[in-house]
Amino acid sequence: MGRLPLEEHDGIAYLQRVFGGGPRDGLFGTDVIVTPVSSNYRLKTLAIDAFRRYLGRYWSMYGAEFLANWRESVAVPPVLALCRKPLVQLLRECEDVNLESSCEMLTETWDDPLAARQALEGVFNGSDVDELSVFSLDDGGIYYGMVVAAHVKTGKSGKFVGLVTVFDDQGY
C-alpha cells in the first residue's frame, strides 16, 4: 500500500476527515487529537491526555478508572522509526486482542476500509514520525480500544498526533 504525501501534514488532515472530530453520542467512537509539543515531550503522557480529552465528561465522572487496564502494547523508539513495519501490520501481528480487534474495526468494517488503511499508514508510517506507540485499553467487558500515539517532527519542535478509538463489545 502506498503512503499518502505529507506535504504540510496533509496526511493529518486526511486522518481527521476519516476518523475524527465528529460529534458522537456517548463513549464509543474515534477521534484524532493533534497538539503542538516541545522537545521535552513524553509520548505516554500525551497519549493519556488525548484519551482524557476524548472522554470529556466521562473522565470527570470516572477519572482514572479508565486507565486501570491501560498498557503500552507496541513501542517503536526513535532509533527504529524509519525501519518499522506498516502500522496495520504491527497491529495485526501483536499479541493484544484489543489492538487486533480495533484494527479489524478500522480496516475491515469501516465505511471505507481502503481510506482507513491509507489514513492510518499515511500518517503513522510517514517519514516525519520519529516515535510511535500504541496503547491498549479495556474495562474487561463493556469497551475496548486503543490510542495510536506519534510524535511528528515539524522543524525544531513537533506535533503529537493521536488516534483514539473506543468500541463496545458489539462493534461501534
Side-chain angles (χ1 to χ4, degrees), residues 114-129:
L114 179 59
R117 282 190 299 278
Q118 288 177 330
L120 289 168
E121 292 181 357
V123 170
F124 296 113
N125 285 99
S127 60
D128 52 356
V129 171

Side-chain angles (χ1 to χ4, degrees), residues 89-116:
Q89 184 179 350
L90 282 171
L91 295 175
R92 287 186 175 147
E93 291 177 355
C94 74
E95 295 184 17
D96 185 312
V97 70
N98 294 332
L99 299 189
E100 293 172 26
S101 297
S102 295
C103 182
E104 181 180 324
M105 290 294 293
L106 296 177
T107 62
E108 295 175 27
T109 63
W110 205 253
D111 293 338
D112 186 343
L114 179 59

Side-chain angles (χ1 to χ4, degrees), residues 33-53:
I33 310 289
V34 180
T35 308
V37 295
S38 64
S39 59
N40 60 351
Y41 70 93
R42 289 183 36 104
L43 200 58
K44 180 179 180 179
T45 301
L46 294 167
I48 290 171
D49 186 54
F51 186 48
R52 183 178 19 230
R53 286 175 54 192

Side-chain angles (χ1 to χ4, degrees), residues 66 69-74 96-99 134-138 144-147:
F66 281 105
N69 292 322
W70 173 278
R71 63 194 168 278
E72 186 175 38
S73 295
V74 176
D96 185 312
V97 70
N98 294 332
L99 299 189
V134 184
F135 300 90
S136 178
L137 50 109
D138 71 79
Y144 68 93
M146 66 181 173
V147 177

Side-chain angles (χ1 to χ4, degrees), residues 8-38:
E8 295 302 313
H9 301 287
D10 288 344
I12 294 172
Y14 187 65
L15 185 74
Q16 289 173 317
R17 280 196 308 276
V18 173
F19 294 116
R24 60 176 198 280
D25 246 354
L27 177 65
F28 306 113
T30 64
D31 200 1
V32 177
I33 310 289
V34 180
T35 308
V37 295
S38 64

